[in-house]
Structures are given as structure tokens and as C-alpha cells.
């Protein structure tokens, strides 16, 4: 962190200020006296330094971070890739491309069990399905809630696929006890109290990027979970809001290599919510793999025209079969192998 002091500060001001910074944040402060200004360089763990508090001091002209404000999520302090391995071939990262597939929402036992069987047969290694749904309208289908979680358990029992499902409130945590991967949706990416609670759990968290959040903000939200004790975070790029209206969101492909560069955490891409259109799911999946994604999360419904949520972006099981076939051919060329059943359990 670099702090430029205001013109005309005395050597005594500089010494006092430097001492207070060292005492408060346990960092080393070096001072350079120039002709017109004094510049301070802070060395050590500056992620704990409150930039706004420093900027508000009378003798400070400007402050700039030169190191990331996140630490546990940073590749700087953890050069090797983190990966998720739930056993039985359910892997994301470390060269394994994990595919999470299933309907937007759990609608009935027949629906979720049928979709689970079909995505498993196609080669998916995780089952998704929303039980608690964040809907823009309070009159839209809100999900089957606790009953939806029960049906996901049945689908897991039938197929062996680990389940990925979204939590919307910390007071629902008890219901998520045996969920394999807890999803934090885009709308809750900055629900910091929820993130802190998830940080106390020993469970992988799939953290989706907010609709209008920067890459750094996504990493800071991951840091919240990790700082509270849970380092099993998976980042998800799911499209951001732009001026474009032809697609539901805009897939930020550059976020994929940037996240992988900045962080050791696995990166999953959601081409379904990014585009809102079933026919764009395959090309965006290819783009995501080419850009370095560790996994994909894809909406699949056995009857998209009658889906209670997100029908237009849902693939039918045959369309998903075709996509998986293509992934199976493309992934090895790009240095990844499709994770899946049949791999040895750890
Ligand atoms: C979902 O995965 O069904 C969902 C609601 O996604 P997002 O939070 O990315 O909108
Ligand atoms: Mn959806």
C-alpha cells in the first residue's frame, strides 16, 4: 500500500503517523522524502489495513493498494490450485472438468429423479436443483423449500450424484446439513452475514458472482467465507448485467482467466443464466472450457416448455447428451478431462 502525504507535512508528523500505522496494523512503514511530497510504503499483510480510515487522516493526500485486499483467496499466498473432490468422480479442478446439471427448480419427485437419472447417464457428476428460489416477483413459483430438499435427497439416493442447491437465508442452515454443495446465488453474493455463517460450516460453497459485481468484489465475498474458517469455496461466473438486451446477462469470459490468475479457487461457469437461451448454452460452454473453467453448471429440464422456472434456458436431456458428447471431445484438447462416475474414490 502506498500513502502519499500532503505537501508541507513535518518530519514529526510523518514519524507519528508511521508509528500509529505500525502499531494499529502490524505492518512495516518506509518513508521516502521527495522534493514536494512524502510517500509512505506499507509492507506486510496490508489486507487488514482500512483504506478509508487511512484516507480520512488530515495529513493524507491519497492512498493506493498495490496488493490485493484479499488474502486467503489469493494465489499469491497459495500458488497451487485448490480443487473439490467429493469422491466417486465428483471432482472440480486440478485438470478435472466437473459438470453440475439439473433443473432450475425441483418441481416434483418424478421430475427431479428423472432429470437426475438422465444427466447422470449423460456424464454429469453433480445434480443441481433449487428448493428455495430467489424470484423477482413474489407471485412467481418460490420453490418447494424443505420438501424440495427432501426430493433432492431422494434423487441422490437413486443416482448417487452429490446435490448442489441454493441457500437464501442463514436461518435455513439446519435444513442444509446433508446438502453436498451449498450454492450462494448471485443475489446473495454480498449478504455478508450469510457468508460468515457459511464460513463456519465444513461444506463446499458454490459462490455465484452478483449481477453487477466486480471480479474483486466476488473474491472479497469468497474471502468472507474463508476468513470465517471455510476454505472450500468454488467461484462461479454466471453473467453480468450490461446494456445488451438480446441475452439475459453477458457472460464475462475474461473473468475466467482473471479469477484463475488472482485466485487458487476453482472456477465454474453457468452458461444457462449467463445467456437465458438454451441454444447459446453449447457455444458458451465451449468458450468457458477454452478460457480455463474448471466446471460448468447447466440447467436441464425434462419438459422445458412446462418448467416452473427458467424453461427458455433449459436444455432437454437429448440436448444435454449432445453437449456432453462435445465436451468429452473438446476437453482433452484443452488439457482437461471430464470428471465422472467410474473414477476411483479417494
Ligand atoms: C440458479 O442457479 O438457479 C440461480 C438463481 O442463479 P443466479 O443466482 O446465478 O441467478
Ligand atoms: Mn435458474
Amino acid at each position: 500500500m502506498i500513502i502519499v502525504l500532503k505537501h508541507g507535512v513535518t518530519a514529526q508528523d510523518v514519524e507519528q503517523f508511521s508509528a500509529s500505522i505500525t502499531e494499529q496494523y502490524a505492518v512495516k512503514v518506509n518513508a521516502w522524502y521527495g522534493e514536494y511530497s512524502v510517500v509512505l510504503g506499507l509492507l506486510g499483510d496490508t489486507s487488514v489495513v482500512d483504506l478509508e480510515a487511512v484516507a480520512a487522516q488530515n495529513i493524507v493526500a491519497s492512498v493506493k493498494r498495490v496488493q490485493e485486499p484479499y488474502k486467503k483467496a489469493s494465489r499469491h499466498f497459495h500458488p497451487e490450485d485448490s480443487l473439490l473432490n467429493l469422491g466417486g468422480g465428483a471432482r472440480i479442478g486440478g485438470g478435472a472438468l466437473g459438470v453440475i446439471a439439473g433443473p432450475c427448480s425441483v418441481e416434483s419427485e418424478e421430475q427431479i429423479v428423472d432429470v437426475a437419472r438422465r444427466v447422470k447417464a449423460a456424464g454429469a457428476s453433480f445434480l443441481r436443483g433449487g428448493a428455495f428460489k430467489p424470484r423477482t416477483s413474489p407471485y412467481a413459483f418460490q420453490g418447494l423449500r424443505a420438501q424440495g430438499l427432501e426430493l433432492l435427497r431422494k434423487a441422490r439416493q437413486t443416482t448417487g450424484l452429490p446435490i448442489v442447491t441454493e441457500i437464501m437465508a442463514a436461518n435455513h442452515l439446519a435444513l442444509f446439513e446433508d446438502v453436498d454443495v451449498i450454492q450462494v446465488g448471485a443475489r446473495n453474493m454480498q449478504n455478508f452475514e450469510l457468508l460468515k455463517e457459511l464460513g463456519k460450516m465444513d461444506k463446499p460453497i458454490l459462490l455465484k458472482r452478483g449481477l453487477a459485481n466486480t471480479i474483486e468484489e466476488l473474491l472479497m465475498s469468497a474471502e468472507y467465507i474463508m476468513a470465517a474458517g471455510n476454505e472450500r469455496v468454488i467461484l462461479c461466473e454466471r453473467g453480468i448485467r450490461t446494456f445488451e438486451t438480446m441475452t439475459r446477462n453477458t457472460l464475462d469470459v475474461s473473468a475466467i482467466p482473471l479469477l484463475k490468475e488472482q485466485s487458487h479457487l476453482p472456477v465454474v461457469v453457468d452458461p444457462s443464466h449467463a445467456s437465458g437461451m438454451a441454444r447459446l448454452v453449447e457455444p458458451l460452454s465451449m468458450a468457458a472450457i477454452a478460457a480455463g473453467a474448471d466446471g460448468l453448471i447447466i440447467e436441464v429440464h425434462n419438459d422445458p416448455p412446462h418448467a416452473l422456472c427458467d424453461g427458455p434456458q433449459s436444455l432437454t436431456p437429448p440436448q444435454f447428451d449432445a453437449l456432453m458428447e462435445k465436451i468429452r471431445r473438446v476437453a482433452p484438447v484443452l488439457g482437461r478431462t471430464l470428471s465422472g462416475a467410474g473414477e476411483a474414490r479417494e
Side-chain angles (χ1 to χ4, degrees):
M1 183 174 282
I2 305 287
I3 305 174
V4 180
L5 301 181
K6 282 184 185 154
H7 185 67
V9 290
T10 66
Q12 199 192 352
D13 291 336
V14 176
E15 263 169 44
Q16 262 175 13
F17 182 65
S18 301
S20 74
I21 295 273
T22 303
E23 193 191 335
Q24 206 173 345
Y25 301 114
V27 291
K28 194 167 180 288
V29 182
N30 283 333
W32 290 278
Y33 289 81
E35 206 172 324
Y36 300 105
S37 55
V38 180
V39 175
L40 305 180
L42 273 51
L43 297 172
D45 180 10
T46 56
S47 55
V48 294
V49 178
D50 184 343
L51 192 133
E52 281 183 13
V54 172
Q57 301 311 305
N58 284 336
I59 70 164
V60 173
S62 65
V63 196
K64 196 171 162 50
R65 275 194 190 281
V66 288
Q67 220 174 34
E68 316 83 53
Y70 42 88
K71 188 175 166 199
K72 290 185 180 289
S74 170
R75 200 179 270 287
H76 201 84
F77 301 97
H78 188 301
E80 62 294 342
D81 280 347
S82 288
L83 50 94
L84 172 70
N85 188 349
L86 297 185
R91 297 208 297 147
I92 293 175
L97 186 82
V99 177
I100 306 165
C104 180
S105 317
V106 180
E107 298 172 7
S108 67
E109 180 170 341
E110 298 70 46
Q111 176 241 20
I112 192 67
V113 171
D114 183 38
V115 176
R117 281 203 176 106
R118 297 170 84 164
V119 299
K120 182 180 181 177
S125 41
F126 299 82
L127 174 68
R128 65 149 288 149
F132 291 87
K133 294 303 305 175
R135 305 302 301 277
T136 301
S137 165
Y139 308 116
F141 176 59
Q142 303 287 304
L144 296 182
R145 304 171 71 85
Q147 191 204 344
L149 294 176
E150 188 50 42
L151 299 180
L152 281 167
R153 281 182 211 110
K154 283 197 175 149
R156 174 175 61 193
Q157 214 167 27
T158 311
T159 59
L161 290 179
I163 51 182
V164 182
T165 193
E166 176 169 352
I167 191 162
M168 294 205 334
N171 62 1
H172 294 159
L173 264 170
L175 292 169
F176 284 69
E177 218 99 278
D178 70 342
V179 163
D180 300 288
V181 179
I182 301 182
Q183 174 176 322
V184 175
R187 290 154 192 82
N188 268 315
M189 189 202 88
Q190 288 192 317
N191 182 341
F192 300 119
E193 291 301 318
L194 175 62
L195 301 180
K196 284 186 219 168
E197 288 303 315
L198 293 170
K200 295 182 198 157
M201 297 195 74
D202 179 25
K203 220 175 249 310
I205 310 296
L206 178 76
L207 177 65
K208 297 188 100 177
R209 180 177 179 182
L211 280 69
N213 284 111
T214 63
I215 293 170
E216 185 170 291
E217 285 164 346
L218 171 60
L219 289 165
M220 290 306 288
S221 290
E223 189 78 10
Y224 258 93
I225 301 170
M226 298 173 87
N230 183 358
E231 308 220 338
R232 296 164 86 194
V233 179
I234 303 135
L235 304 169
C236 179
E237 163 56 39
R238 46 78 73 204
I240 48 173
R241 283 251 165 112
T242 67
F243 51 80
E244 183 51 67
T245 54
M246 271 198 202
T247 48
R248 185 175 178 182
N249 292 290
T250 298
L251 179 65
D252 181 6
V253 179
S254 19
I256 306 161
L258 285 172
L259 286 169
K260 303 248 359 133
E261 180 186 284
Q262 302 296 314
S263 177
H264 54 92
L265 298 173
V267 176
V268 162
V269 170
D270 177 345
S272 309
H273 291 90
S275 64
M277 292 151 101
R279 69 178 189 281
L280 291 195
V281 169
E282 182 184 299
L284 296 190
S285 299
M286 295 301 120
I289 299 170
D294 298 297
L296 296 166
I297 176 164
I298 293 171
E299 287 190 343
V300 180
H301 197 284
N302 48 358
D303 184 11
H306 294 104
L308 295 182
C309 183
D310 289 351
Q313 69 194 34
S314 300
L315 299 186
T316 60
Q319 287 169 335
F320 184 64
D321 282 339
L323 171 64
M324 291 302 283
E325 197 39 51
K326 195 152 180 184
I327 292 175
R328 217 170 264 114
R329 281 185 283 125
V330 167
V333 181
L334 294 158
R336 246 93 20 94
T337 44
L338 187 61
S339 77
E343 279 185 36
R345 265 178 203 278
E346 279 209 340

